[in-house]
Amino acid sequence: MSTARSAQRRPAETVPTTADAGLTITVRTGSGSGRTLLSAFDHALHLAGVADFNLVTLSSVIPPGSRVRNVDAPLAGGHGDVLFAVRAEAFAERPGDVAWAGLGWCADETGAGLFVEHHGTSEEQVATLIETSLADMQATRDHDYGPVSMTLASAVCVDRPVCALVIAAYEVATWRDAAPAAAPVREEEQVSDAGHGRVGPRSVHGHSVTSAEPSEPPLHDDEVVSSRSVPVPEASRSAVARVTVETHVDAETARDYYRLYRQSFSGIETLAVARHMLHESEFLEEMLDPRVHKYIAWGHGGEAVGMTTLTQDLATVPWISPQWFAHHLPEHSARQAAYYFGFALVHPDHQGAQVLRAMIEPMALEVMRNRGVVTWDMCAANDARGFGQTYMKLLEAFGDVTTEVIDRQTYYAATYHGPRTDDPAAAPHEEGSS
């Protein structure tokens, strides 16, 4: 009973020509399945030969003197050792759905270069994203790192959740080696895992993910996994202890957030014709995607009580057209100042404007600093409940801003009750028919 199939695109090795090879970075793939998305991820790690390491996710920069090559054999190391790596993963949980993940890279003659990680639903989509990202990143640095190489993996869901994984292993260290290099964590930078009361490095089924925190983390594929705290508005402090902005959460914590998401949004399924509830695999992809910033409101008991999402990469929002924004908002799109406000949720036990304001205020300030435009969508049921006006008032409180409706969608229904009882000759007659 196979539940996953894999496919890879394997490039030639990248070898420096003007310097002795120093670091050897090995690229591995795995397409796993399991009864849960988490166990599918673990199975993919196992098939890639790295299941028993604690993972430390790196930003996607290749140091000079490095050699990048594809390897199928398990990675050598002890159980629980630390593995520094760059990785891409994609999930699917509905029969017939396909998950594609890919790492792409380029390097100059010294071996210095860049990695990018992408995921999607087709090989062409992921390959195009990799090519585009690396082209932009080389242009930003005004440096030619040479041709693009990439490794892709896919998994097809048959009857159980699947995960496609591509991972670039930089180096393995024991805890004795790694501990002295770890910077002390300031109390205000510690991250509490929602629903567990843990503080410190977050773990994915034994695969620890730590993060280095820049002061202003960018919304780019090569950013460092990070969590940063933002000020809580005074009006919200009775309901919210702190607000963090997460660029990446581990799979276990993402599952905790998904339960919060289900509790907060389950009622919308019978109120709106369009599907507003993300499937678990879609939700986890957003949580694991560093291009989507997660604003988390934490209660005074250490629990997550609310979440909003914000992105500058419109390709991460599958139900909108980035081309519309490029056409109608060319100046904002050109400088990555077109944002999308994905969703806002507040736990049913903590409903109130204080929690919502605590998350929306730092989002609004982020957009204002960039003189950007933020868009969002809302079903008629929520609009009728006043949420649209609430969001507009909150956003308007933080700057000189114009809000407007940019599109509408109306669903129609024609209900038949039986054959016509009047004269059939009175029925509309199509011109030219016999």
Side-chain angles (χ1 to χ4, degrees):
M1 181 177 64
S2 172
T3 59
R5 298 198 300 269
S6 65
Q8 294 86 29
R9 179 186 293 189
R10 293 296 181 84
E13 295 181 358
T14 302
V15 182
T17 58
T18 62
D20 294 334
L23 181 65
T24 296
I25 301 173
T26 58
V27 178
R28 303 152 188 277
T29 63
S31 298
S33 65
R35 289 179 293 176
T36 68
L37 292 169
L38 182 60
S39 59
F41 174 66
D42 182 72
H43 188 212
L45 289 169
H46 175 76
L47 294 176
V50 295
D52 293 328
F53 294 98
N54 285 289
L55 304 181
V56 176
T57 303
L58 302 174
S59 61
S60 307
V61 177
I62 302 172
S66 297
R67 171 182 181 179
V68 182
R69 63 191 192 89
N70 287 279
V71 172
D72 293 320
L75 183 63
H79 186 90
D81 281 352
V82 178
L83 171 59
F84 299 91
V86 175
R87 73 174 195 264
E89 64 267 333
F91 298 90
E93 60 178 337
R94 292 180 297 181
D97 281 0
V98 184
W100 279 89
L103 289 181
W105 66 94
C106 51
D108 62 20
E109 65 278 2
T110 72
L114 303 166
F115 267 113
V116 295
E117 54 276 359
H118 275 292
H119 62 269
T121 57
S122 71
E123 179 180 13
E124 180 181 6
Q125 178 192 20
V126 175
T128 300
L129 288 170
I130 288 172
E131 294 272 5
T132 302
S133 291
L134 284 172
D136 287 350
M137 291 162 64
Q138 292 192 68
T140 297
R141 289 162 173 79
D142 193 24
H143 183 81
D144 183 9
Y145 287 100
V148 173
S149 297
M150 64 181 73
T151 295
L152 278 66
S154 72
V156 180
C157 178
V158 177
D159 57 6
R160 296 199 297 179
V162 294
C163 173
L165 169 75
V166 184
I167 186 166
Y170 274 55
E171 192 168 44
V172 175
T174 67
W175 284 102
R176 183 183 299 275
D177 296 329
V185 179
R186 298 193 302 271
E187 182 178 355
E188 64 270 21
E189 292 177 341
Q190 292 180 332
V191 179
S192 173
D193 285 29
H196 293 279
R198 297 190 302 267
V199 175
R202 293 161 290 181
S203 63
V204 187
H205 196 66
H207 311 291
S208 176
V209 182
T210 61
S211 62
E213 179 181 8
S215 57
E216 289 291 336
L219 288 169
H220 296 297
D221 290 307
D222 62 337
E223 72 176 315
V224 177
V225 177
S226 67
S227 171
R228 60 186 171 98
S229 295
V230 294
V232 178
E234 185 174 353
S236 302
R237 290 174 187 171
S238 62
V240 176
R242 61 194 178 94
V243 175
T244 59
V245 184
E246 312 277 348
T247 57
H248 185 291
V249 298
D250 64 76
E252 183 180 354
T253 304
R255 293 292 291 271
D256 290 336
Y257 290 161
Y258 187 69
R259 285 189 283 272
L260 171 64
Y261 175 79
R262 290 289 309 182
Q263 289 172 321
S264 303
F265 271 107
S266 57
I268 200 68
E269 293 174 304
T270 59
L271 295 176
V273 175
R275 180 173 68 91
H276 283 66
M277 284 285 297
L278 296 174
H279 296 299
E280 186 173 11
S281 60
E282 296 168 330
F283 183 86
L284 289 183
E285 282 197 16
E286 284 203 10
M287 295 300 101
L288 296 170
D289 193 333
R291 298 171 296 172
V292 180
H293 277 200
K294 280 69 69 172
Y295 289 71
I296 314 294
W298 301 88
H300 291 280
E303 73 283 10
V305 297
M307 176 189 294
T308 60
T309 62
L310 183 71
T311 185
Q312 287 167 279
D313 191 331
L314 302 181
T316 65
V317 188
W319 59 87
I320 67 171
S321 168
Q323 291 77 15
W324 185 96
F325 291 84
H327 178 74
H328 292 276
L329 301 168
E331 189 272 333
H332 290 89
S333 297
R335 58 185 180 88
Q336 288 191 301
Y339 295 77
Y340 206 82
F341 174 12
F343 63 78
L345 64 88
V346 178
H347 191 282
D349 295 339
H350 299 269
Q351 297 286 349
Q354 297 94 335
V355 177
L356 196 58
R357 183 185 180 95
M359 299 180 294
I360 289 184
E361 178 169 326
M363 284 176 43
L365 294 174
E366 162 71 19
V367 178
M368 185 181 68
R369 280 193 295 267
N370 202 18
R371 293 189 175 273
V373 56
V374 58
T375 57
W376 69 95
D377 63 273
M378 184 169 296
C379 67
N382 278 343
D383 226 352
R385 295 163 67 186
F387 287 127
Q389 290 296 318
T390 297
Y391 291 164
M392 285 193 288
K393 288 179 180 178
L394 285 171
L395 291 167
E396 289 169 353
F398 309 116
D400 181 10
V401 60
T402 300
T403 56
E404 59 182 324
V405 175
I406 58 174
D407 198 6
R408 289 191 185 278
Q409 184 162 318
T410 303
Y411 291 83
Y412 293 91
T415 304
Y416 286 90
H417 305 287
R420 292 186 58 170
T421 58
D422 58 352
D423 183 1
H429 187 71
E430 183 178 349
E431 184 177 351
S433 63
S434 57

